Amino acid sequence: MTEPTKYFVVTKKAVPEVLLKVVEAKRLLESGKLPTIQDAVDAVGISRSSFYKYKDDIFPFHDSTQGKTVTLSMQIEDEPGLLSDVLQVIAQFGANILTIHQSIPINGVAALSISVQVLQTTKDISEMLDAMEKRTGVHSVKILAKE
């Protein structure tokens, strides 16, 4: 009996360089910028064997989220308009908000969970999370679940 596939969400800084280069080679191929695997691996500086070893096991987070529900957890300061700013980021990236739950602020910070549906037209979720974290008053953004 085979063990079920397990997935992990890690930040880019925790991913070995060879895996990031495999993702970049795949992007070059998919975009049509380079016509062959050999051209792509030469451009990013990895071997063909490394590419083939990892190509089916590494992909940008956004590619695995289309058509899924992603639940986010964040800590935000209790400031007028900050929740609206966070929701505006979601709207700008084209995700569909399904649920919002905000706790009563304690010491000026509220826990917030938001579930969003990732559509075919939704822009890169990783970039959306980054845009949220860059908002003044947002302390952290974490992915709780992907269904």
Side-chain angles (χ1 to χ4, degrees):
M1 179 152 55
T2 61
E3 186 176 319
T5 302
K6 293 183 181 178
Y7 295 93
F8 299 90
V9 176
V10 297
T11 60
K12 183 178 179 179
K13 68 182 179 183
V15 178
E17 186 176 351
V18 67
L19 297 179
L20 296 174
K21 289 181 176 186
V22 168
V23 169
E24 179 62 14
K26 287 172 56 173
R27 188 190 65 75
L28 290 169
L29 290 166
E30 290 168 3
S31 70
K33 289 184 179 178
L34 295 175
T36 68
I37 290 172
Q38 188 63 56
D39 291 335
V41 298
D42 288 346
V44 298
I46 59 173
S47 67
R48 283 173 54 98
S49 63
S50 292
F51 178 82
Y52 282 112
K53 181 176 182 179
Y54 299 116
K55 71 177 181 66
D56 295 329
D57 294 321
I58 181 90
F59 42 86
F61 179 71
H62 180 69
D63 292 353
S64 70
T65 59
Q66 290 183 1
K68 305 283 186 183
T69 298
V70 177
T71 302
L72 308 172
S73 171
M74 59 190 78
Q75 302 290 317
I76 65 171
E77 292 179 14
D78 182 26
E79 294 179 5
L82 185 55
L83 176 58
S84 177
D85 289 347
V86 169
L87 299 179
Q88 184 62 35
V89 170
I90 295 169
Q92 288 170 346
F93 279 80
N96 183 36
I97 298 170
L98 300 174
T99 65
I100 303 169
H101 176 75
Q102 181 177 330
S103 69
I104 295 173
I106 299 173
N107 295 327
V109 177
L112 176 66
S113 68
I114 302 176
S115 293
V116 297
Q117 181 182 29
V118 181
L119 308 170
Q120 290 269 338
T121 55
T122 302
K123 297 175 190 168
D124 191 319
I125 291 295
S126 298
E127 291 178 16
M128 182 180 82
L129 300 178
D130 189 46
M132 286 179 184
E133 281 191 323
K134 287 181 179 174
R135 296 282 177 171
T136 301
V138 176
H139 291 248
S140 67
V141 179
K142 306 270 188 234
I143 299 167
L144 283 184
K146 180 181 83 165
E147 300 171 16

